[in-house]
Amino acid sequence: MSVKVTLSQVSKCLFTIAKPATVELNPKARLPAYFLSLTFAPELLDEHSTLYKKKMYSSSAQLTGQHTPEELEASLVLTLINFPRKQIGTKMSDCLVCGVLPSGPGVDPEVKRASTVFVRPFLDTLTDASISSHVFGAPVGVFPTLESKRRTNPRDLNWGEFEIIQYLVGTIQELHVVLDSAREDGFVRCDGMVDFGSLQGILKSSSWLRSESIQDGALLKSLEGRQVIAVTNLNSSDTGNLFDIDTAAILTVNGFTTIEPAKRVENGFRLA
């Protein structure tokens, strides 16, 4: 039985959407990895430049088993930015480029590395203008914020605080708008059933989306049968009625869309 986590614990993980500028093999890494240069919202890059005299964030990511540099350069990627910076070989890694990998006991580390798939926003129903305005650089979490972009990085997260949260991949079986759930801030709750594989099974799951994103029904229809990532060990009694008891909380890009593995993976893969 996994440990339950609070909404404040989940909210401490500062995820955001980045665009790789360059991707190359990292020859100094102990294990096969790419070295990525990443662009973010301008305010975040300005802060980074002031503090570290670097125009872009850098990250070393073990994604060589499933992806080419060209795939990564052509996509947006999910990142976790508020770990302390870390030395990887001769290079400094400024953030975590997130991937999903097999979870559960007894999985060989080499199998995990070879199977790791990067994570991206689901963009099929969005225009280029909406992607630029509402997705790139936006906060990612279980509840949207009024902040349109991540603008600062406190670097206040440690690995144990992240690892205790169970972020799992699941496939949406159905998703519908909850009647009378609309809030004054424009967010609407959508409930459904998500299959998280053999370790968790099928769980009731909730996603908070912006009313403007779901008003024509295209997003909810497109999400049926697609994979998402959700927190499956959230203590729902701690969330002030945002989530029902024993409900998984689906991650969204600030309420505009969801995130997904770049390739289809087994349900139950874990974010890392």
Side-chain angles (χ1 to χ4, degrees), residues 185-217:
D185 50 20
F187 305 140
V188 178
R189 199 178 89 184
C190 299
D191 285 358
M193 304 303 292
V194 176
D195 182 0
F196 291 101
S198 58
L199 292 179
Q200 288 285 322
I202 299 171
L203 299 179
K204 179 183 177 181
S205 303
S206 295
S207 176
W208 281 96
L209 295 165
R210 293 175 185 266
S211 57
E212 64 197 86
S213 299
I214 61 173
Q215 58 188 359
D216 64 358

Side-chain angles (χ1 to χ4, degrees), residues 66-87:
Q66 292 291 322
H67 302 289
T68 65
E70 292 76 17
E71 283 181 83
L72 290 159
E73 288 176 352
S75 184
L76 296 174
V77 298
L78 179 69
T79 63
L80 181 54
I81 62 171
N82 60 318
F83 286 126
R85 301 171 78 217
K86 184 178 181 180
Q87 191 79 35

Side-chain angles (χ1 to χ4, degrees), residues 9 24-25 33 86 88 90-91 118 120 128 144 200 248 262:
Q9 286 177 285
E24 57 188 20
L25 282 171
K86 184 178 181 180
I88 306 291
T90 61
K91 298 180 182 292
F118 81 89
R120 66 189 181 189
D128 289 345
Q200 288 285 322

